[in-house]
C-alpha cells in the first residue's frame, strides 16, 4: 500500500519536472527565433588574467575631464587565444571614486580588455566567492530541508532559468512583455508549488489563489500606468535600453508592469502557501469543518500574515534602491519635487500594488481552499 502511495506521489513530481524542462527548452528556442541581436558580439572581448607585478602608481591631472590615480601592472592572461601571455595593463582610479574603488594587488584575478590602444583593467573577478557562498547555501538547504530542500533548489533553478533563458530573450526579440511576464509568473507559481508540496488539493488551492493575486496586481498596474501616464524612462539605463539595436524598440512601460508583477509574485506565493497549508492541517485535525468555517479561518490567518508580507515587500524595494533614493533626496528641491519623480512613483507603485496583490490573494486562497477541502476528494488528486 505504501509503495503504491509513493508511486502516485513520485509520478506527478517527475511529470512537473519534465514539464518544466520542456517549457524552458522549447520556450528558449521559440523566443530566440526572432532574436537578431548577438548579446556578446563585440570586437573587444574581455579576458581573464592574474596580476603578476605592480609596475607603477602615479597621480595624473593632465586632462580637463579626468584626473586621478593610474596603476600600471603586468598580468598573465588565463583564458582565450592569448592564454599564458603577459601583458601590460592600466587601471584608472577616478579621484571622485577613489574611496570606493581599490587598486589591484599581486595575485588578484581580473578582467582586462584591449581597446586597441593597450590593455585596460575592467573589473575584479568576484563571482568565485559568490559561487562558494551559493554552494554553502545549497548544502545547508539540503542538510536542513532534505527532500524539501532539493525541491526548493529545483524550483529556484527553474524560475531563474525561465527569467534569463525565456523572459529576457523574449524582450530582446520584441515579443509582448505583458504576456511574457504573466506566463513566467504562472510557470514559476505552478512549478514551485507543485514541486515543493506535491500535486494535491493543497497545492492546487495555493496555485489558484496565487494566480488570482498576481493577475489582480497586473490589472491594477495597467490601470495605474494609464492614469499616471508613465513613460518608463526612470534613469540613464532606461535610455540605453531604447538604443539597443533590435528590430522592435523595448517597451519601457511594459517593463514597469513586468517588474511589479514578477516582484510581487514571490510574496503572494508565500501568503497563498501559508494559508493553504494551515487550512489543510486544520481540515486534517477537524474533518467535519464546513465551507464557512474554513473560509473564515483562512481569512483570519491571512490577516496575521499580510502585515509582515507587506512590510517585507516595502523593505525589499527600499533596500534595493537605497542609493538612488538617497541621491534623489539630496538633490530634490523639496518633498513635492521628490515624490513626483517618476522613479519614486514606480518604487511606490511596486510596494503598494504588491501589497494589494497580497491582500487580494488572501480571500481568493481562502475561498479555493474552503471549496476544495470541504468537498470529497476528487479521484484524480492525491491526498497528502
Amino acid at each position: 500500500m505504501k509503495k503504491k502511495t509513493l508511486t502516485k506521489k513520485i509520478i506527478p513530481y517527475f511529470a512537473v519536472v519534465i514539464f518544466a524542462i520542456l517549457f524552458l527548452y522549447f520556450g528558449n528556442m521559440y523566443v530566440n527565433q526572432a532574436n537578431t541581436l548577438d548579446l556578446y558580439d563585440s570586437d573587444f572581448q574581455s579576458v581573464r588574467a592574474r596580476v603578476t607585478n605592480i609596475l607603477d602608481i602615479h597621480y595624473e591631472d593632465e586632462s580637463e575631464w579626468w584626473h586621478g590615480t593610474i596603476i600600471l601592472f603586468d598580468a598573465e592572461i588565463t583564458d582565450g587565444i592569448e592564454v599564458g601571455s603577459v601583458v601590460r595593463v592600466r587601471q584608472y582610479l577616478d579621484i571622485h571614486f577613489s574611496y570606493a574603488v581599490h587598486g589591484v594587488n599581486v595575485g588578484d584575478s581580473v578582467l582586462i580588455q584591449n581597446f586597441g590602444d593597450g590593455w585596460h583593467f575592467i573589473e575584479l573577478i568576484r563571482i568565485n566567492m559568490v559561487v562558494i557562498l551559493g554552494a554553502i547555501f545549497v548544502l545547508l538547504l539540503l542538510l536542513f530541508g532534505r527532500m524539501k530542500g532539493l525541491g526548493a533548489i529545483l524550483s529556484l533553478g527553474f524560475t531563474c532559468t525561465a527569467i534569463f533563458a525565456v523572459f529576457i530573450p523574449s524582450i530582446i526579440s520584441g515579443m509582448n512583455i505583458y504576456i511574457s511576464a504573466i506566463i513566467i509568473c504562472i510557470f514559476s507559481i505552478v512549478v514551485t508549488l507543485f514541486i515543493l508540496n506535491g500535486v494535491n488539493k493543497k497545492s492546487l488551492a495555493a496555485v489558484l489563489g496565487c494566480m488570482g493575486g498576481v493577475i489582480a496586481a497586473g490589472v491594477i498596474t495597467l490601470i495605474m500606468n494609464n492614469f499616471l501616464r508613465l513613460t518608463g524612462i526612470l534613469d540613464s539605463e532606461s535610455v540605453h535600453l531604447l538604443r539597443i539595436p533590435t528590430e522592435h524598440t523595448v517597451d519601457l512601460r511594459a517593463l514597469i508592469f513586468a517588474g511589479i508583477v514578477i516582484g510581487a509574485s514571490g510574496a503572494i506565493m508565500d501568503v497563498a502557501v501559508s494559508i493553504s497549508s494551515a487550512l489543510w492541517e486544520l481540515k486534517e485535525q477537524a474533518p467535519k469543518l464546513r465551507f464557512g468555517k474554513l473560509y473564515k479561518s483562512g481569512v483570519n490567518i491571512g490577516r496575521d500574515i499580510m502585515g509582515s508580507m507587506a512590510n517585507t515587500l516595502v523593505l525589499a524595494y527600499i533596500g534595493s534602491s537605497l542609493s538612488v533614493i538617497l541621491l534623489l533626496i539630496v538633490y530634490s528641491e523639496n518633498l513635492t519635487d521628490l515624490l513626483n519623480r517618476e522613479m519614486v512613483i514606480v518604487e511606490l507603485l511596486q510596494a503598494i500594488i504588491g501589497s494589494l496583490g497580497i491582500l487580494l490573494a488572501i480571500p481568493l486562497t481562502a475561498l479555493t481552499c474552503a471549496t476544495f477541502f470541504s468537498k470529497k476528494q476528487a479521484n484524480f488528486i492525491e491526498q497528502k
Side-chain angles (χ1 to χ4, degrees):
M1 187 67 178
K2 286 184 178 180
K3 187 176 181 181
K4 185 177 180 181
T5 303
L6 185 62
T7 302
K8 286 185 176 180
K9 289 183 178 180
I10 290 175
I11 291 175
Y13 183 90
F14 279 106
V16 173
V17 172
I18 292 170
F19 161 75
I21 294 171
L22 292 175
F23 173 88
L24 295 174
Y25 178 75
F26 288 107
N28 179 259
M29 286 181 60
Y30 177 75
V31 298
N32 279 313
Q33 284 178 353
N35 182 12
T36 58
L37 178 66
D38 188 348
L39 297 178
Y40 302 103
D41 183 20
S42 173
D43 294 330
F44 306 109
Q45 292 286 346
S46 59
V47 296
R48 291 171 176 257
R50 183 177 59 84
V51 179
T52 57
N53 188 26
I54 305 296
L55 300 173
D56 182 47
I57 301 175
H58 67 275
Y59 181 81
E60 188 171 292
D61 188 12
E62 298 178 359
S63 172
E64 295 182 359
W65 58 270
W66 186 90
H67 54 278
T69 301
I70 296 179
I71 300 177
L72 191 65
F73 63 91
D74 285 336
E76 181 184 356
I77 298 175
T78 55
D79 71 353
I81 59 174
E82 297 184 63
V83 61
S85 302
V86 176
V87 296
R88 191 148 296 176
V89 186
R90 285 175 175 264
Q91 180 185 17
Y92 295 86
L93 301 181
D94 193 295
I95 190 172
H96 298 294
F97 307 114
S98 59
Y99 69 93
V101 180
H102 301 285
V104 296
N105 297 315
V106 173
D108 284 347
S109 293
V110 295
L111 284 175
I112 59 175
Q113 200 165 343
N114 191 342
F115 292 105
D117 61 343
W119 290 89
H120 295 263
F121 169 87
I122 300 299
E123 190 59 86
L124 287 171
I125 294 178
R126 301 182 176 94
I127 190 63
N128 296 338
M129 290 303 299
V130 177
V131 169
I132 293 172
L133 185 62
I136 294 172
F137 166 71
V138 169
L139 184 63
L140 291 175
L141 202 58
L142 291 173
L143 186 63
F144 291 108
R146 299 183 183 180
M147 289 305 297
K148 286 280 187 180
L150 178 62
I153 294 168
L154 278 176
S155 60
L156 180 61
F158 286 142
T159 297
C160 292
T161 305
I163 291 173
F164 288 101
V166 179
F167 179 63
I168 291 178
S170 74
I171 296 174
I172 296 171
S173 299
M175 296 182 179
N176 191 301
I177 299 176
Y178 297 99
I179 296 174
S180 297
I182 291 295
I183 289 174
I184 292 300
C185 284
I186 292 174
F187 168 81
S188 176
I189 291 166
V190 170
V191 170
T192 299
L193 297 185
F194 282 162
I195 285 179
L196 289 177
N197 299 318
V199 183
N200 49 48
K201 282 188 174 182
K202 180 174 72 173
S203 298
L204 185 58
V207 165
L208 294 177
C210 192
M211 283 184 184
V214 169
I215 292 172
V219 171
I220 296 170
T221 303
L222 288 175
I223 294 171
M224 295 307 297
N225 245 339
N226 291 324
F227 271 110
L228 297 174
R229 291 186 288 180
L230 300 176
T231 64
I233 302 176
L234 309 179
D235 46 33
S236 59
E237 285 76 13
S238 302
V239 177
H240 289 314
L241 286 175
L242 293 175
R243 296 172 180 167
I244 294 177
T246 55
E247 186 177 348
H248 304 278
T249 305
V250 176
D251 187 345
L252 298 182
R253 296 182 71 197
L255 281 182
I256 293 176
F257 171 88
I260 292 175
V261 170
I262 293 175
S265 62
I268 295 172
M269 206 183 306
D270 283 343
V271 171
V273 169
S274 299
I275 293 173
S276 66
S277 295
L279 291 185
W280 182 267
E281 292 301 321
L282 184 62
K283 181 62 178 177
E284 288 282 283
Q285 299 301 319
K288 293 183 180 180
L289 280 176
R290 300 183 68 82
F291 175 90
K293 289 287 186 182
L294 282 171
Y295 176 76
K296 186 177 180 181
S297 297
V299 172
N300 288 335
I301 292 167
R303 287 184 183 134
D304 293 334
I305 299 171
M306 66 181 181
S308 61
M309 279 293 103
N311 201 40
T312 299
L313 266 182
V314 172
L315 291 176
Y317 286 127
I318 291 176
S320 64
S321 54
L322 194 56
S323 298
V324 176
I325 292 173
L326 180 60
L327 191 64
L328 289 174
I329 289 174
V330 170
Y331 287 99
S332 294
E333 296 180 0
N334 51 57
L335 187 61
T336 303
D337 176 51
L338 173 67
L339 294 178
N340 282 285
R341 289 178 180 266
E342 187 167 339
M343 183 184 294
V344 175
I345 290 294
V346 170
E347 293 291 335
L348 292 173
L349 282 179
Q350 288 178 322
I352 295 171
I353 294 175
S355 300
L356 280 171
I358 292 172
L359 192 62
L360 294 172
I362 290 171
L364 289 171
T365 306
L367 181 64
T368 54
C369 288
T371 303
F372 290 167
F373 300 170
S374 62
K375 291 183 178 181
K376 292 182 179 180
Q377 287 276 3
N379 292 330
F380 62 93
I381 299 178
E382 177 69 23
Q383 184 173 358
K384 187 177 178 181

